[in-house]
Amino acid sequence: MVNKPRAEAQRGGTAQRQQWMRVLACAGQQLAAYSDALRQDEHRFIRPAEIGMVMVRGRMGASGGPFNLGEMTVTRCVVQLADGRHGHSYVAGRSKQHAELAALADAHLQGERQAHWLAHLIGPLQREQATRRAAKEAESAATKVDFVTLVRGEDA
């Protein structure tokens, strides 16, 4: 029988890891500013950053049958820190540096200094991404056109 509190804690940990992996995958060149801090601990590459392709699948109207949309370039990397923790990353595009730094960050975030990394790496990246997203949404909203249908008297 599965221990219920432990299973719920694992799900919570999984959700938290999914969130930081999303932030790291979207960080791009922002991660370069943290390169020295992420590389300070001894590490080795289990799978050095390598570029490949994945098939992207889609659905019509988000509920229709799946179809192959096309191929996308991704870069993946797996690292192991000296204490045995593994970090994984898959990032869109061809940036080996981005994949390596995201994998290192993932490994660090799984350790005893998780709170430090969440506060000093994920938090600032998340705020910067939210600011960029809000600016983009504001720019798009400025071009929004509201169409108003007027009803003529004889049509009413």
Side-chain angles (χ1 to χ4, degrees):
M1 183 171 172
V2 176
N3 184 350
K4 215 173 199 178
R6 185 175 179 191
E8 289 174 10
Q10 277 184 326
R11 279 194 295 277
T14 299
Q16 185 179 29
R17 187 171 184 204
Q18 287 173 340
Q19 181 198 0
W20 82 55
M21 293 300 288
R22 180 187 55 80
V23 171
L24 292 170
C26 294
Q29 291 301 314
Q30 296 170 307
L31 274 178
Y34 301 93
S35 179
D36 292 338
L38 291 169
R39 294 180 192 273
Q40 70 186 354
D41 291 345
E42 187 178 325
H43 63 279
R44 70 183 185 99
F45 292 103
I46 302 295
R47 184 178 299 263
E50 56 188 355
I51 298 167
M53 302 287 281
V54 295
M55 178 59 70
V56 178
R57 296 185 52 103
R59 291 181 182 269
M60 285 303 265
S63 61
F67 64 93
N68 291 339
L69 184 63
E71 292 182 335
M72 177 178 151
T73 305
V74 296
T75 306
R76 70 178 176 181
C77 184
V78 180
V79 298
Q80 180 181 23
L81 298 181
D83 64 4
R85 285 177 286 157
H86 287 83
H88 302 262
S89 71
Y90 282 83
V91 298
R94 303 175 58 87
S95 176
K96 289 184 177 183
Q97 179 188 22
H98 181 191
E100 289 174 6
L101 293 174
L104 285 166
D106 179 44
H108 285 296
L109 282 157
Q110 295 176 59
E112 61 279 345
R113 294 186 61 214
Q114 182 183 58
H116 166 79
W117 289 105
L118 285 171
H120 294 94
L121 174 69
I122 299 300
L125 288 174
Q126 207 168 20
R127 285 189 293 277
E128 190 172 333
Q129 290 172 10
T131 301
R132 282 189 311 184
R133 189 170 31 258
K136 194 172 187 176
E137 288 172 2
E139 184 180 331
S140 296
T143 63
K144 182 178 177 184
V145 177
D146 288 324
F147 292 96
V148 180
T149 304
L150 298 175
V151 177
R152 294 183 354 179
E154 67 262 8
D155 293 337

